[in-house]
Amino acid sequence: MRKENLILVDVDGVLLDWEWGFYDFIKFRYPSLELVNPDAYKGGEKFDITVKEGRSLSQEFNNSARIGYLNPLRESVKYVRKLYERGYMFHAVTSQSLDPYAQKLRISNLENLFGKVFIDYTILDTGADKGDALKDITTKYPGENFYWIEDKGENLDVGEELGLTPILMSHSHNTEYAGNRVYYWEEIHNSIIYGDTTLIN
């Protein structure tokens, strides 16, 4: 396939609504925990617990059966399929879990929602940096100028340094990031297909 028709895409907070699933999980498993900072990125800051405890909660959720039933985010299904119909394919890059069964649930969730739009999956441990994975992926395909869609600014910057075209999915936890920012998948679709950047802040 041609590299310019490839879109690298994060999963949680870009394709799928991880936060809603995580909050629902916390209410069910740990009802005494109070959400104190919904705008925070890390679980420890969200619930006023230690960093270690927050990471443990994220890992527990990412390894649970619930990870196979997350909802799509902001009309992602509609516009991912539209891009696929235009000849684009997707490579999912996600810091979810190293548990092979949890990974199977992730892939099942994505394929049940989006169909066979993914040419590959790179699934890393919970919270893992994506720099090395992106380097490996960018050397795998010939050509230049394909897209990288993320919600974490640091990961987006790494992709841009490797020659990817970055697009940031906007959330309350990344408001200080100054890169190309979108809120809806319609904006991503229009930017890629029509070169329409009027909706990107």
Side-chain angles (χ1 to χ4, degrees), residues 22 25 53 60 85 90 93 98 156 165 189:
F22 182 60
F25 165 77
E53 289 170 333
E60 184 180 354
E85 290 167 2
F90 294 80
V93 186
L98 296 180
L156 208 68
T165 300
H189 172 272

Side-chain angles (χ1 to χ4, degrees), residues 5-56:
N5 286 351
L6 178 65
I7 298 173
L8 299 186
V9 61
D10 180 27
V11 175
D12 297 311
V14 176
L15 291 173
L16 301 179
D17 193 347
W18 186 90
E19 281 201 6
W20 181 90
F22 182 60
Y23 293 154
D24 193 59
F25 165 77
I26 294 297
K27 288 178 186 177
F28 178 75
R29 290 294 302 273
Y30 303 99
S32 63
L33 276 182
E34 181 181 356
L35 181 64
V36 296
N37 186 4
D39 294 339
Y41 181 74
K42 297 181 179 179
E45 296 171 358
K46 287 178 180 293
F47 295 99
D48 195 23
I49 54 180
T50 67
V51 171
K52 184 177 180 180
E53 289 170 333
R55 180 176 174 79
S56 179

Side-chain angles (χ1 to χ4, degrees), residues 98-148:
L98 296 180
D99 185 312
Y101 294 98
Q103 292 179 354
K104 287 181 180 180
L105 285 172
R106 162 121 300 176
I107 292 171
S108 174
N109 190 188
L110 289 170
E111 293 188 349
N112 285 339
L113 289 172
F114 297 95
K116 300 294 185 178
V117 306
F118 299 96
I119 63 168
D120 207 351
Y121 302 90
T122 298
I123 305 179
L124 310 172
D125 200 5
T126 301
D129 292 333
K130 296 175 180 173
D132 289 341
L134 290 174
K135 289 177 185 176
D136 291 342
I137 294 167
T138 54
T139 59
K140 181 178 179 179
Y141 305 103
E144 296 179 352
N145 300 325
F146 58 103
Y147 290 88
W148 169 223

